[in-house]
Amino acid sequence: MSVTVVNPATEKAIAKLERDGVEETDAAVARAKAAFPGWRAVSPQDRARLLRRLATLVEEHGDELARIESQNVGKPISGAGGEVEMVAQVFHYYAGAVDKHLGETIPVAGGVDLTFREPLGVVGLIVPWNFPLNIASWKLGPALACGNTAVLKPAELTPLSALRLGELCVEAGIPEGVVNVVVGKGSTVGQRLVEHPDVAKIGFTGSTEVGREVMRGAAGTIKRVTLELGGKSANIVFADADLERAAASAPYAVFDNAGQDCCARSRILVERPVYERFLDLLVDATRRVKVGDPADAATEMGPLISAAHRETVASFVEGEPLFRGDVPEAKGFWFPCTIVEANPGDRVARDEVFGPVAAVIPFDDEAEAIGIANDSPYGLSGSIWTRDGARALRVARAVESGVLSVNSNSSVRAHTPFGGMKQSGFGRELGMHGLNGYSEVKNVFISTEA
Ligand code: NAD
């Protein structure tokens, strides 16, 4: 059986690969298991050096990797370039973190108590199609830094950048078997990794629905799991905010990556006195989003990932939206930037659309804004726009979300923790917190009694 990889902007096949199954997954786990003792024994300085070399190779191959990602996901080449830069930053960061992931000494009677950060063993890394290389690096960086070996499973629609990263790992000098890439279905390769007795942990990013399956499957072997799942983030705009700035930035917080972003601020909550004015500014700013050929450096939004996904996204738009942008007439899974007015209970305001559809909702006061923001099973990201510093902090503490920004729509940095609350998952990636998910604390007491 083979996998045909398609460019979503042209609908043309760009690669044909062998599809791996359970047998190949087992072989990859066996390779990773065999490589583990050697990799954990590599000195911290050498492990850091190898990760640093991988980061440098990613930089040197930046254009190539961005082109692969752009063609496979349909994302604009400029955005893909930025993502590859982040991948290099992530490996640089975790190269620097290897020898700063410290144990403790704890005061005890009759001896000395020490903690060690032990690697887990073989980790299974399962990633989605929306940011294939980026999300792979968020898991691989800390996993390798802690001394684990890995089996990486990209989404079947977007395996190309992960395969190239696997080659770069070997070129960097990371021993064969430490990083293994397996291309296949979630229901075979993914599920096998989840259930495999020799896999110690699953680092999963994907939908909440599949996350639930992963958690259930991991129970059989009491496997550790980190789940980065869906979101329905609120972008809360108070009347005292810099409206021009908030409105100019809001479209990119929903339409970046064609809305296929777990952090998409797809619910825009606006305080009633400025609601009409904000809508005008928002529509104006959305009109300026450049949608078209992902290979063009000026393009800001490309197509959706597949025809099937386009149908799902379209099902969220009922009736005439407030604004609908233009899309190319050529082939490709295009969907226009779309703005709808919504009530908090509407499907478009509750479910993850994962496409370029923004739902705008008015609110009367701070308490109502917090209530609407929290009335969701998700809790991944979000923004607060206000000039009142105390209010910004009050609302940031009250919103049940793992990653918030004030007067900004940014969510991820290599060196700060990222992850969700509620059904957006648990565990944190990136920053020093990311290392906790790929290591286990061992406690050792040494008696000093004579
Ligand atoms: P998905 O859940 O369908 O698939 C994710 C990965 O899981 C893929 O590699 C898939 O092959 C695999 N998979 C599918 N079934 C499996 C199973 N039974 N066992 C093990 N693995 C299985 O998600 P997707 O459609 O690729 O990505 C979109 C989703 O990912 C959205 O919900 C989005 O919010 C979420 N996401 C979350 C984050 C985050 O950091 N929180 C980041 C990006 C995307």
Side-chain angles (χ1 to χ4, degrees):
M1 289 286 276
S2 61
V3 180
T4 302
V5 183
V6 169
N7 179 340
T10 60
E11 302 182 31
K12 287 207 177 102
I14 49 173
K16 204 165 185 175
L17 309 168
E18 288 294 310
R19 174 182 282 147
D20 295 327
V22 169
E23 207 175 302
E24 290 80 8
T25 309
D26 285 354
V29 172
R31 283 196 301 277
K33 188 179 176 186
F36 175 59
W39 181 242
R40 81 175 295 185
V42 171
S43 76
Q45 288 67 29
D46 282 343
R47 212 182 302 143
R49 196 171 43 77
L50 292 169
L51 279 173
R52 185 79 68 198
R53 207 185 274 161
L54 175 60
T56 305
L57 276 177
V58 168
E59 284 164 347
E60 287 170 5
H61 292 264
D63 289 344
E64 177 201 350
L65 290 167
R67 205 167 43 246
I68 293 173
E69 202 79 325
S70 172
Q71 288 176 354
N72 196 171
V73 190
K75 54 177 81 216
I77 189 71
S78 58
E83 286 171 30
V84 174
E85 276 171 30
M86 186 187 186
V87 171
Q89 275 176 26
V90 168
F91 289 128
H92 277 303
Y93 180 87
Y94 285 109
V98 170
D99 56 6
K100 297 168 194 70
H101 191 212
L102 308 175
E104 303 146 298
T105 59
I106 301 171
V108 288
V112 179
D113 195 279
L114 309 170
T115 64
F116 296 91
R117 310 278 192 150
E118 303 287 10
L120 303 172
V122 178
V123 296
L125 310 178
I126 302 179
V127 302
W129 46 258
N130 59 339
F131 294 101
L133 197 59
N134 240 286
I135 292 176
S137 74
W138 301 358
K139 300 181 190 313
L140 257 188
L144 297 179
C146 290
N148 304 283
T149 55
V151 179
L152 170 63
K153 193 206 101 50
E156 237 196 353
L157 291 169
T158 57
L160 300 182
S161 56
L163 287 167
R164 189 67 185 111
L165 182 66
E167 292 169 357
L168 293 180
C169 287
V170 174
E171 202 176 320
I174 295 172
E176 298 261 3
V178 171
V179 178
N180 306 272
V181 183
V182 185
V183 176
K185 284 183 176 299
S187 54
T188 51
V189 172
Q191 196 173 331
R192 181 65 184 147
L193 286 174
V194 169
E195 291 171 358
H196 201 298
D198 289 337
V199 174
K201 186 236 161 88
I202 294 288
F204 174 83
T205 299
S207 59
T208 294
E209 199 185 340
V210 176
R212 222 169 259 129
E213 286 295 306
V214 168
M215 210 168 161
R216 214 173 274 135
T221 48
I222 314 291
K223 214 173 247 80
R224 283 91 188 103
V225 287
T226 304
L227 300 177
E228 300 286 355
L229 308 176
K232 188 73 195 175
S233 299
N235 185 358
I236 308 174
V237 182
F238 286 98
D240 70 345
D242 180 339
L243 285 193
E244 278 72 19
R245 241 184 92 208
S249 136
Y252 299 96
V254 198
F255 305 132
D256 251 2
N257 215 38
Q260 305 164 122
D261 183 340
C262 53
C263 293
R265 275 87 166 148
S266 57
R267 292 187 292 161
I268 308 179
L269 316 188
V270 186
E271 199 166 5
R272 222 177 272 278
V274 297
Y275 183 71
E276 295 301 332
R277 166 105 184 100
F278 184 84
L279 276 189
D280 288 346
L281 291 168
L282 177 66
V283 167
D284 267 1
T286 304
R287 226 185 280 285
R288 286 195 290 274
V289 175
K290 294 189 189 72
V291 182
D293 180 6
D296 182 337
T299 295
E300 294 175 312
M301 189 178 103
L304 293 171
I305 190 72
S306 67
H309 188 52
R310 180 170 56 186
E311 266 184 48
T312 310
V313 171
S315 76
F316 281 91
V317 185
E318 292 163 355
E320 201 42 39
L322 188 72
F323 174 79
R324 181 184 278 127
D326 297 323
V327 289
E329 278 172 19
K331 269 191 169 287
F333 309 122
W334 302 99
F335 196 89
C337 293
T338 306
I339 301 173
V340 299
E341 287 184 279
N343 292 311
D346 294 348
R347 179 169 166 251
V348 69
R350 297 199 67 80
D351 292 359
E352 186 179 43
V353 178
F354 226 55
V357 181
V360 192
I361 303 167
F363 68 85
D364 283 316
D365 56 24
E366 189 178 311
E368 193 189 7
I370 293 166
I372 297 172
N374 287 343
D375 182 19
S376 167
Y378 297 115
L380 185 55
S381 194
S383 300
I384 299 145
W385 293 81
T386 175
R387 286 191 171 97
D388 179 340
R391 166 147 63 196
L393 276 177
R394 250 188 341 261
V395 178
R397 296 300 302 273
V399 172
E400 297 158 357
S401 201
V403 193
L404 285 159
S405 44
V406 174
N407 297 329
S408 155
N409 292 317
S410 66
S411 292
V412 287
R413 289 173 194 79
H415 48 288
T416 59
F418 174 76
M421 290 181 176
K422 304 198 284 188
Q423 292 186 34
S424 287
F426 55 83
R428 292 293 176 269
E429 298 197 304
L430 300 172
M432 293 304 276
H433 293 78
L435 298 166
N436 296 339
Y438 292 95
S439 58
E440 203 129 51
V441 174
K442 181 183 283 173
N443 189 65
V444 178
F445 170 75
I446 304 164
S447 168
T448 52
E449 310 258 308

